[in-house]
Amino acid sequence: MPRPGELTLVPARRGKPPRHLADLDVDARRQAVAELGEQPFRADQLSRHYFARHVNDPAQMTDVPAAVRDTLAATMLPTLTTAVRHLETDGGTTRKTLWRLFDGALVESVLMRYTGDRPRVTLCVSSQAGCGMNCPFCATGQQGLTRNMSAAEIVEQVVAAERMLAAGEIAGGTGRVTNVVFMGMGEPLANYKAVVTAVRRMTDPAPSGLGIGRRGVTVSTVGLVPAIDKLAAAHLGVRLALSLHAPDDELRDELVPVNTRWKVGEALDAARAYFEKTGRRVSIEYALIREINDHAWRGDLLGKLLNERGRGWVHVNPIPLNPTPGSKWTASRPEDEAAFVAALEERGVPVTIRDTRGSDIDGACGQLATVGD
């Protein structure tokens, strides 16, 4: 367990996962296949099977000669994740999956189908096993950091979700993943290189990648300012979500320990710069904690700080705190939540209370943890 306020930005060195097709761009895939003594176009065939058909079983790759299928699949499509269990709620439209990685590390992902005016299928992916940010109200943060995930391990969560949907395992019939949010286990920007590579694999057109729209991908961060700047310069076109949770440095130092390195103003400046460079409106994530950060005056202060940096660039998503075992904190009272939201709206800041789907299976924001599994 991490000590109070302790940050872990660099995990302890561990063995690397096997190289996988999803770790490589198109040219590198062809080179890797050529090094196996096969024609480079075999890499294109593998890409079509994996990214377009979501297949990694060599028996289904009938356009690849039988004599080389097993070797190519074992080398280029090694098994990286194994499902340990699924938990479902919301009538089967929400599924949390516990995955065991190649070295025994455990992570979780959550697949959510939404119907109504904006039908969509959203997958919440993990980018690290555990998390080193040590936010005291977050179950993952209290678990500590085990290791970074590879790009392919991140992508595998999406491909597995596509298989579940294609098989009709999620209530509502077959479908496709339309949105990916990096809001599972880990601080995505502390695993910057792998996350950026994974985003490219997700958004590259099939069969080079999964063909998910860039606007449908959201990368969250607690405020690693240099990495936010780097992400803006990468021209990925994805959405940014800043997990703020307090507008004043004194409280945020306690709730989000990385604030001792990059203060509220610095994080908001980086978020505003991200909007200016990408044109993508930024989301401010704010877990409402009873009698801790849910005061109307804090809502007003947040609105003031956002407006000082302009209008139309940001949207605030308050999230009723999801309970975690042993936590001394709980969700705000409805009247305090309403007063906080009203203070923001009086400042002209757009606000939407975030859905807390999956809370009854510990699958909502801040609840993912694998300790004891």
Side-chain angles (χ1 to χ4, degrees):
M1 296 288 286
R3 293 188 298 271
E6 181 182 24
L7 294 171
T8 308
L9 293 174
V10 180
R13 187 177 297 275
R14 292 169 65 103
K16 290 185 177 181
R19 183 187 65 177
H20 188 281
L21 185 82
D23 290 312
L24 308 173
D25 63 19
V26 171
D27 290 340
R29 294 172 209 168
R30 291 171 177 164
Q31 181 178 344
V33 167
E35 290 170 356
L36 295 173
E38 296 298 325
Q39 292 297 317
F41 75 84
R42 298 290 181 209
D44 301 335
Q45 292 176 309
L46 292 177
S47 295
R48 281 194 293 274
H49 287 298
Y50 184 73
F51 289 111
R53 297 181 59 221
H54 313 126
V55 165
N56 59 2
D57 178 4
Q60 298 183 47
M61 302 177 188
T62 55
D63 58 342
V64 179
V68 299
R69 282 181 208 160
D70 288 344
T71 298
L72 283 174
T75 305
M76 301 299 294
L77 297 170
T79 299
L80 298 179
T81 63
T82 303
V84 176
R85 67 162 181 259
H86 305 295
L87 293 175
E88 296 182 353
T89 188
D90 300 320
T93 59
T94 298
R95 171 183 278 192
K96 182 176 78 164
T97 302
L98 175 68
W99 302 101
R100 179 173 286 111
L101 307 183
F102 85 102
D103 58 354
L106 298 171
V107 300
E108 293 181 316
S109 62
V110 184
L111 183 61
M112 297 161 283
R113 167 172 258 146
Y114 296 87
T115 57
D117 294 338
R118 291 182 58 233
R120 62 197 185 280
V121 178
T122 297
L123 180 69
C124 179
V125 298
S126 293
S127 55
Q128 295 179 310
C131 183
M133 298 299 101
N134 200 13
C135 299
F137 57 89
C138 175
T140 315
Q142 293 309 289
Q143 179 177 331
L145 178 61
T146 299
R147 70 167 172 88
N148 284 333
M149 295 175 68
S150 69
E153 286 175 324
I154 298 169
V155 172
E156 263 284 276
Q157 296 169 78
V158 187
V159 173
E162 296 282 23
R163 293 187 190 118
M164 294 174 195
L165 288 160
E169 296 177 16
I170 308 303
T174 58
R176 296 292 305 272
V177 173
T178 58
N179 297 76
V180 176
V181 293
F182 282 79
M183 296 180 181
M185 300 178 71
E187 161 55 49
L189 295 189
N191 188 17
Y192 180 87
K193 183 177 179 181
V195 165
V196 167
T197 298
V199 169
R200 294 193 192 282
R201 295 299 93 80
M202 293 175 195
T203 58
D204 283 346
S208 298
L210 290 169
I212 296 172
R214 295 184 177 193
R215 290 180 180 271
V217 178
T218 300
V219 175
S220 70
T221 178
V222 293
L224 277 62
V225 168
I228 294 174
D229 296 339
K230 194 174 178 182
L231 185 68
H235 303 294
L236 293 179
V238 298
R239 297 184 184 275
L240 176 72
L242 173 62
S243 297
L244 197 68
H245 308 310
D248 52 311
D249 287 321
E250 182 179 6
L251 179 58
R252 194 168 192 262
D253 283 350
E254 178 186 355
L255 296 181
V256 187
V258 79
N259 199 71
T260 60
R261 297 200 181 189
W262 298 287
K263 296 300 185 183
V264 169
E266 294 174 275
L268 291 178
D269 285 344
R272 170 68 197 193
Y274 186 89
F275 165 77
E276 291 176 352
K277 193 141 196 172
T278 65
R280 294 282 192 262
R281 190 168 65 162
V282 173
S283 295
I284 300 295
E285 309 296 309
Y286 197 106
L288 286 168
I289 309 171
R290 182 179 298 184
E291 297 179 354
I292 299 295
N293 67 348
D294 61 352
H295 312 92
W297 71 262
R298 281 196 161 95
D300 181 70
L301 175 58
L302 176 57
K304 178 176 179 291
L305 293 175
L306 297 177
N307 286 340
E308 285 175 354
R309 291 162 174 81
R311 301 271 185 160
W313 69 278
V314 71
H315 186 279
V316 177
N317 286 322
I319 312 162
L321 183 72
N322 295 300
T324 57
S327 174
K328 65 181 181 180
W329 290 304
T330 189
S332 299
R333 289 179 286 263
E335 60 268 27
D336 294 330
E337 176 185 297
F340 183 90
V341 169
L344 282 164
E345 290 176 338
E346 287 172 10
R347 290 275 187 180
V349 176
V351 185
T352 303
I353 299 289
R354 268 272 299 278
D355 188 3
T356 57
R357 285 183 63 166
S359 60
D360 55 334
I361 55 170
D362 292 336
C365 291
Q367 291 186 314
L368 300 187
T370 57
V371 175
D373 284 306

